[in-house]
Amino acid sequence: MKQKSTKYIVQAAVIAALYAVMTILQNTLIPGSASMAVQFRVSEVLTILALYTPAAIPGLAIGCVIANISSLSTLGPYDLIFGSLASLIAAVCMYALRNVRFATLPVLAALMPAIANGIIVGFEIEFFFVEGGFHFADFLLQGGLVALGEVAVLIVLGLPLSKLIEKQQLDKKIFAMN
């Protein structure tokens, strides 16, 4: 049992570190590309790891918290709370849907970050950052833009990554908990 716990903690820590570093580096090199309404947060490709290990759930959530701490000066505490919550919900849903496949691809699971972030971060943007009160049509626009960025990352990068992981049997070599 101790070995399983240690492996779980190490996997979660590595995923958290990778997510945080990738996000912060991207925002440093291309300001706003990983933290604005229309974003292509490359680190979101790591959400695919929730298909293979439950350790990805806390890893992604903690990584998002760390990454969002770096943007507190511009976004305040809102993204720290809402963005991190969206990442946690998306990872839980992805893990729950890990065995649902369409033509061997985890398409439904890969859509979970787009749905969670689209709704939660879309609400966050419309409620906290757009002046003039909450407007449902604008919420749909903001949420749609966030979801679009998520879909792009997960379709363009995430699904091919999942195929590579499975083809090379890395899911069994790296993520197996035995």
Side-chain angles (χ1 to χ4, degrees), residues 21-131:
V21 168
M22 288 172 69
T23 304
I24 293 166
L25 184 62
Q26 179 182 348
N27 250 349
T28 301
L29 296 174
I30 309 167
S33 65
S35 62
M36 294 307 195
V38 180
Q39 57 183 259
F40 188 90
R41 191 179 270 199
V42 177
S43 55
E44 285 292 303
V45 73
L46 297 175
T47 60
I48 284 296
L49 300 179
L51 299 173
Y52 308 110
T53 177
I57 296 169
L60 292 164
I62 292 167
C64 189
V65 166
I66 294 167
N68 289 345
I69 285 172
S70 72
S71 62
L72 277 176
S73 60
T74 54
L75 300 176
Y78 305 116
D79 206 40
L80 181 64
I81 296 164
F82 291 100
S84 302
L85 177 65
S87 290
L88 176 64
I89 291 169
V92 168
C93 292
M94 286 184 80
Y95 186 75
L97 295 169
R98 68 189 177 279
N99 294 322
V100 177
R101 303 291 174 121
F102 298 102
T104 73
L105 291 173
V107 176
L108 186 59
L111 291 176
M112 292 302 106
I115 294 169
N117 282 286
I119 293 170
I120 295 171
V121 176
F123 171 81
E124 170 196 353
I125 293 168
E126 179 59 24
F127 192 81
F128 294 108
F129 297 110
V130 176
E131 293 182 24

Side-chain angles (χ1 to χ4, degrees), residues 93-175:
C93 292
M94 286 184 80
Y95 186 75
L97 295 169
R98 68 189 177 279
N99 294 322
V100 177
R101 303 291 174 121
F102 298 102
T104 73
L105 291 173
V107 176
L108 186 59
L111 291 176
M112 292 302 106
I115 294 169
N117 282 286
I119 293 170
I120 295 171
V121 176
F123 171 81
E124 170 196 353
I125 293 168
E126 179 59 24
F127 192 81
F128 294 108
F129 297 110
V130 176
E131 293 182 24
F134 184 89
H135 296 92
F136 188 72
D138 292 339
F139 157 70
L140 292 176
L141 175 65
Q142 298 296 345
L145 292 172
V146 171
L148 183 63
E150 290 284 339
V151 167
V153 170
L154 287 158
I155 299 300
V156 173
L157 301 174
L159 291 179
L161 177 61
S162 74
K163 282 306 263 188
L164 177 67
I165 288 170
E166 292 169 11
K167 183 177 181 182
Q168 298 298 318
Q169 296 187 340
L170 297 174
D171 51 332
K172 294 171 181 63
K173 294 175 185 172
I174 296 174
F175 299 113

